Amino acid sequence: MLATETFNLLKKYRIRLDRKKGQNYLINNHFLSQIIENAHLDHSDVVLEIGAGIGTLTVPLAEKVSKVVAIEQDKRIIPILRERLNEKDISNVEILLGDATKLNFPYFSKVVSNLPYQISSPITFKLLGYDFDFAILMYQLEFAQRMIAKPGESHYSRLSVMMNLCTQTELLFKVPKNAFLPPPKISSAVIKLTPTRNPDVDEFFVKTCRALFQHKKKKSGKALLQSFHEICDMDLARSSIRDIISQVNGKLIEERVFKLTPEEILVISSELEDVLEKM
Ligand code: SAH
């Protein structure tokens, strides 16, 4: 049993897991096999695993693919991971010790990870910079809901917009707290994320989107006015900023930010960029 095995290993090495470090180890065989199944692995795959821990996912992944790149930040955990791989005669795992938000990832075709929750956001955005088939990722339920939220829904956010435009994202299944040791405070969910290229999502768009969602409930023209410094570092009088914003599609700047579709935000951003370029 995964639960007993995990408990005994941690006891043997006298490791106390720390929730603050995102250490919630999967101890449920059913959800483990669901994750592996959904990854549709074959021998040509190179899998990136972020937060490998004691190898609960690493081992079954390595048995199915050509190589696993396993990143783990906690150096106390690495010897356990190595021992487990040795015991099972697994030699196709490259272990990288370090912070996954800071390391450059080597080539990979898929990502399969039970992510450390505190880096969900930076890791998700970081992955968008890479080219790969798809990712199967465990997140906190609330974060997963924000990823897939539609305009007007309470979880709709900057993250939803970015996921909508740059990926195809689907919630595969929820995972209860007791599937982990120690149990996290809230439930989790497994997401399938497939990157889709979108050349319109550039730095200017990202800044506009950030500025808008700083005032999610306000009309978008007002949100842009209040967070204009996020978009443009020119030192402009408030009246000039008002004038710039008034040149953007009138219907859209009267709409509340949380009701704008991702495509409408693209329109706002490109019109705003045009106005600024003409100045
Ligand atoms: N995959 C394992 C462990 C998941 S817990 C399992 O499913 O059981 C997440 C792991 O990520 C922990 O081992 C934690 O130490 C590690 N971790 C936390 N922050 C990290 C970071 N910034 N970079 C890499 N690993 C990190």
Side-chain angles (χ1 to χ4, degrees):
M1 274 298 288
L2 194 49
T4 333
E5 197 183 341
T6 305
F7 185 81
N8 289 341
L9 265 172
L10 295 170
K11 199 169 154 199
K12 177 175 158 200
Y13 284 87
R14 301 210 176 110
I15 302 260
R16 191 181 281 265
L17 291 178
D18 187 348
R19 275 204 203 97
K20 281 192 232 102
K21 292 184 185 155
Q23 294 176 329
N24 298 106
Y25 286 7
L26 190 63
I27 51 168
N28 180 302
N29 290 88
H30 168 71
F31 292 111
L32 175 61
S33 46
Q34 289 281 298
I35 292 171
I36 302 288
E37 249 171 59
N38 275 287
H40 300 293
L41 301 166
D42 70 50
H43 284 299
S44 65
D45 279 319
V46 175
V47 172
L48 175 70
E49 188 193 0
I50 297 157
I54 56 173
T56 303
L57 278 164
T58 325
V59 169
L61 288 171
E63 285 166 347
K64 287 196 157 61
V65 302
S66 83
K67 186 180 161 186
V68 178
V69 177
I71 306 179
E72 173 55 55
Q73 186 176 35
D74 189 338
K75 58 177 183 301
R76 301 173 308 159
I77 307 285
I78 302 277
I80 315 186
L81 178 58
R82 282 197 200 288
E83 184 184 306
R84 279 187 113 186
L85 297 173
N86 286 340
E87 266 170 17
K88 299 196 160 71
D89 245 356
I90 292 173
S91 57
N92 59 343
V93 177
E94 179 183 348
I95 299 175
L96 300 178
L97 168 65
D99 179 348
T101 62
K102 303 210 172 101
L103 291 172
N104 280 326
F105 302 149
Y107 168 82
F108 57 94
S109 60
K110 288 176 184 165
V111 192
V112 182
S113 306
N114 172 11
L115 287 177
Y117 296 136
Q118 79 283 12
I119 59 166
S120 296
S121 182
I123 279 295
T124 305
F125 284 110
K126 182 171 180 174
L127 286 175
L128 295 184
Y130 288 84
D131 193 9
F132 56 98
D133 296 349
F134 63 83
I136 303 291
L137 300 166
M138 177 95 71
Y139 290 99
Q140 283 190 316
L141 180 60
E142 211 245 307
F143 191 88
Q145 286 167 332
R146 281 207 284 132
M147 290 173 85
I148 57 168
K150 301 271 180 298
E153 292 178 359
S154 65
H155 289 290
Y156 191 57
S157 61
R158 186 167 83 86
L159 180 71
S160 331
V161 174
M162 291 297 290
M163 291 299 113
N164 178 293
L165 293 173
C166 303
T167 72
Q168 219 188 324
T169 298
E170 112 187 68
L171 195 154
L172 295 177
F173 50 87
K174 293 181 186 174
V175 182
K177 298 179 245 189
N178 63 12
F180 301 93
L181 181 78
K185 295 218 167 70
I186 62 172
S187 313
S188 299
V190 172
I191 286 274
K192 178 171 183 175
L193 178 159
T194 311
T196 52
R197 296 257 148 235
N198 193 329
D200 296 332
V201 177
D202 57 10
E203 206 188 321
F204 190 85
F205 174 82
V206 172
K207 286 188 200 165
T208 306
C209 194
R210 182 179 299 130
L212 285 168
F213 277 94
Q214 277 173 358
H215 310 279
K216 189 175 153 177
K217 297 209 168 120
K218 293 197 170 134
K219 290 183 179 172
S220 61
K222 188 122 197 192
L224 290 174
L225 180 66
Q226 292 190 351
S227 288
F228 200 75
H229 55 277
E230 292 275 346
I231 304 172
C232 168
D233 49 19
M234 279 188 274
D235 194 17
L236 296 168
R238 214 167 162 84
S239 59
S240 321
I241 300 176
R242 253 185 236 284
D243 181 51
I244 293 167
I245 295 169
S246 71
Q247 295 177 58
V248 175
N249 182 312
K251 194 168 153 265
L252 294 183
I253 58 174
E254 282 299 308
E255 187 61 280
R256 309 254 165 212
V257 173
F258 73 97
K259 289 189 177 160
L260 293 169
T261 65
E263 290 72 24
E264 287 171 335
I265 298 175
L266 273 175
V267 172
I268 293 179
S269 138
S270 76
E271 293 193 4
L272 192 58
E273 195 170 17
D274 284 348
V275 178
L276 287 172
E277 270 167 8
K278 284 194 200 106
M279 283 175 61

